[in-house]
Amino acid sequence: ALLTLADLDTPVWLGPGFDTDAMRTWLRFHSGALLAAKPDQAVFALLDAAQMPALETFSFGADESPERGATLLVQVQGLDQSVWRQRAALSIEFPRGVDLYLGCGRDLIALPRSTAISIEGA
């Protein structure tokens, strides 16, 4: 999925578990994407749900250009309740925010920033 999205103009941040010499070489060779030094500099981020930083560490875009919010590609088996709460809290930032792609094996689901999340019992 990342190779479909990333190119020369899209800095990618590799989260813990993905930030390896082999992954950096593979990504540069196949997409030419630059590597972002920090999460807030990334257009795309490749993450593992078990080691996922807070959503607020990524760019939400700006009022003038909300489309510049980061797109997070997250490898999941499950997603911690705190991530759902963070995502639900971002609803007030719309149209700014982050887009989430959640992948498990060959399955992928997208949750764009326009998706409203509510937590039962919250």
Side-chain angles (χ1 to χ4, degrees):
L2 182 58
L3 290 182
T4 302
L5 301 168
D7 63 25
L8 296 168
D9 297 322
T10 55
V12 176
W13 187 73
L14 300 172
F18 290 106
D19 190 11
T20 65
D21 286 337
M23 180 62 85
R24 288 189 294 271
T25 300
W26 177 83
L27 183 61
R28 279 191 211 118
F29 177 79
H30 290 289
S31 71
L34 301 172
L35 295 174
K38 298 188 279 183
D40 65 345
Q41 298 170 338
V43 172
F44 298 107
L46 186 59
L47 307 164
D48 186 301
Q51 301 176 60
M52 197 164 151
L55 296 180
E56 66 190 25
T57 62
F58 296 95
S59 173
F60 294 172
D63 289 338
E64 308 80 40
S65 54
E67 73 282 357
R68 294 185 185 249
T71 297
L72 313 181
L73 291 93
V74 185
Q75 179 177 293
V76 298
Q77 291 294 329
L79 203 52
D80 189 79
Q81 184 78 2
S82 66
V83 176
W84 292 114
R85 285 194 172 106
Q86 291 173 52
R87 179 55 186 77
L90 287 180
S91 294
I92 62 169
E93 298 291 337
F94 185 78
R96 297 173 55 229
V98 296
D99 298 310
L100 294 173
Y101 284 81
L102 308 175
C104 183
R106 299 186 82 133
D107 296 326
L108 184 68
I109 187 170
L111 294 173
R113 68 193 72 185
S114 60
T115 303
I117 305 282
S118 62
I119 308 293
E120 284 188 31

